[in-house]
């Protein structure tokens, strides 16, 4: 995940470059298989690879496994006094805690990671990534003003770098915070830009997440027909990929439309069915 180089060469650097390409494309399973092929003793001896694998486990929704692995990496990094990589490991931990619904703990860990990077003169890309994750957590703790500030500044940094992946991801998260703040109409430009980038990067995972957000925004602005059409496009992708988590968010958002149209029975049946399935994906928010 370190695109700043750091002086690495040879096999290790090649692995990280290859890993980043797979990461940008959202090919979590492929990246997971690649990391699984690394012998256990080599993985244990390289905390940076442990952090990478924990990242992948997080994206594959294996949050407890990710947290267990990141705890091992944190211990090794504290012994090695590698403050910058330690902050990256804390970022992964904070992200997993957020997804599990532990918002206050997530915020505390991410603030620790941010402050650690600031105190140790980290590469600006590392600090931007931690601030991005912190901004996402702040939106869940309803500290929307601070969330928008963090994410706006992070987006400005990524635009200056021409970093398409992070421009798209930060645009989506900033759009969510702005919408939560009661200004959904301001978000469509951010979301359409992200949708174009994800399509170009062939990242279906992030594309579907953006479609979910865009569908909700159309809903909030009162364009229910456009909202439903957008969400149904996402359902097709989710079903093709066999991804239950994506489908849960999409179908639940369509149920919200049924509810607001006054078709309460259809909405209730869908909510009940989706709630029964939601326990399988370990996502507290849904």
């Amino acid at each position: 995940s370190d695109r700043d180089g750091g002086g690495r060469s040879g096999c290790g650097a090649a692995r990280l470059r290859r890993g980043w390409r797979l990461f940008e494309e959202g090919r979590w399973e492929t990246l997971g298989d690649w990391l699984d092929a690394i012998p256990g003793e080599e993985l244990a001896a390289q905390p940076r690879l442990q952090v990478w694998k924990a990242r992948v486990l997080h994206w594959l929704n294996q949050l407890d496994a990710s947290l267990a692995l990141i705890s091992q990496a944190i211990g090794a990094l504290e012994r090695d006094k590698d403050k910058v990589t330690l902050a990256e490991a804390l970022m992964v931990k904070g992200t997993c805690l957020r997804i599990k619904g532990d918002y206050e703990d997530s915020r505390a860990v991410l603030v620790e990671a941010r402050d650690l990077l600031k105190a140790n003169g980290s590469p600006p890309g590392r600090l931007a990534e931690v601030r991005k994750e912190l901004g996402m957590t702040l939106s869940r703790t309803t500290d929307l003003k601070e969330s928008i500030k963090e994410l706006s500044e992070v987006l400005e940094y990524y635009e200056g770098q021409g970093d398409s992946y992070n421009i798209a991801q930060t645009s989506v998260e900033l759009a969510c915070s702005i919408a939560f703040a009661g200004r959904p109409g301001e978000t469509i430009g951010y979301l359409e830009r992200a949708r174009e980038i994800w399509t170009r990067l062939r990242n279906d995972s992030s594309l579907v997440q953006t479609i979910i957000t865009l569908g909700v925004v159309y809903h909030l602005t009162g364009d229910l027909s456009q909202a439903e059409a957008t969400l149904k496009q996402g359902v097709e992708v989710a079903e093709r990929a066999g991804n239950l988590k994506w489908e849960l968010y999409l179908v639940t958002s369509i149920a919200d439309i049924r509810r607001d149209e006054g078709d309460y029975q259809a909405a209730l049946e869908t909510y009940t069915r989706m709630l029964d399935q939601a326990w399988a994906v370990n996502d507290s928010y849904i």
Side-chain angles (χ1 to χ4, degrees):
S1 63
D2 181 6
R3 308 181 78 189
D4 301 292
R8 285 181 299 273
S9 60
C11 183
R15 280 176 173 167
L16 289 171
R17 287 193 298 270
R18 181 185 175 199
W20 182 259
R21 286 197 298 273
L22 295 172
F23 184 82
E24 282 193 330
E25 294 170 4
R27 295 168 59 189
W28 320 126
E29 290 84 0
T30 301
L31 187 51
D33 290 344
W34 173 68
L35 287 165
D36 285 342
I38 298 173
E41 62 274 14
E42 182 179 349
L43 185 67
Q46 298 194 47
R48 285 194 54 76
L49 286 178
Q50 289 182 313
V51 173
W52 253 109
K53 187 164 185 177
R55 278 178 176 265
V56 173
L57 290 169
H58 143 247
W59 281 108
L60 293 175
N61 206 44
Q62 298 178 37
L63 302 179
D64 291 334
S66 178
L67 286 168
L69 186 59
I70 212 67
S71 293
Q72 297 177 33
I74 287 172
L77 293 165
E78 287 175 337
R79 289 191 297 272
D80 294 343
K81 302 188 184 303
D82 184 348
K83 302 294 187 183
V84 174
T85 308
L86 173 60
E88 183 181 355
L90 290 170
M91 181 192 70
V92 176
K93 179 180 179 179
T95 302
C96 288
L97 290 172
R98 180 181 67 241
I99 296 172
K100 289 174 70 69
D102 297 335
Y103 299 138
E104 292 302 330
D105 286 346
S106 171
R107 179 176 185 165
V109 170
L110 291 168
V111 167
E112 180 184 357
R114 181 194 63 186
D115 293 348
L116 192 61
L117 290 176
K118 286 182 176 180
N120 287 275
S122 75
R126 292 284 188 87
L127 181 58
E129 188 175 14
V130 170
R131 292 183 68 194
K132 176 183 65 180
E133 296 295 339
L134 177 58
M136 293 164 66
T137 293
L138 289 169
S139 73
R140 274 67 166 182
T141 61
T142 68
D143 193 348
L144 297 174
K145 182 178 179 180
E146 191 65 23
S147 173
I148 291 169
K149 176 181 180 294
E150 289 282 352
L151 293 170
S152 296
E153 292 178 3
V154 168
L155 179 59
E156 183 178 355
Y157 167 78
Y158 286 134
E159 287 173 338
Q161 299 297 306
D163 184 339
S164 295
Y165 178 93
N166 280 303
I167 288 171
Q169 189 184 39
T170 308
S171 293
V172 172
E173 294 301 330
L174 178 58
C176 290
S177 293
I178 293 172
F180 288 148
R183 310 196 307 271
E186 297 179 21
T187 69
I188 292 175
Y190 291 109
L191 294 169
E192 290 292 1
R193 181 185 188 189
R195 178 155 65 167
E196 183 275 326
I197 292 173
W198 296 136
T199 301
R200 175 159 45 85
L201 292 177
R202 297 182 296 178
N203 187 328
D204 282 345
S205 173
S206 296
L207 175 61
V208 168
Q209 293 175 54
T210 301
I211 286 173
I212 293 168
T213 306
L214 191 55
V216 171
V217 166
Y218 281 127
H219 184 178
L220 292 173
T221 56
D223 192 344
L224 299 187
S225 61
Q226 184 63 44
E228 186 165 356
T230 300
L231 293 166
K232 284 183 175 178
Q233 177 193 0
V235 171
E236 292 176 3
V237 178
E239 289 179 343
R240 184 170 64 246
N243 190 305
L244 177 59
K245 184 175 180 178
W246 301 350
E247 188 176 349
L248 283 166
Y249 274 89
L250 290 155
V251 175
T252 301
S253 295
I254 294 172
D256 292 342
I257 296 173
R258 297 282 89 80
R259 179 198 63 205
D260 289 356
E261 289 175 333
D263 191 349
Y264 301 121
Q265 186 60 39
L268 183 59
E269 290 173 358
T270 301
Y271 288 142
T272 302
R273 177 165 51 89
M274 292 297 99
L275 182 59
D276 287 342
Q277 297 181 54
W279 296 102
V281 300
N282 196 25
D283 186 325
S284 297
Y285 188 88
I286 192 63

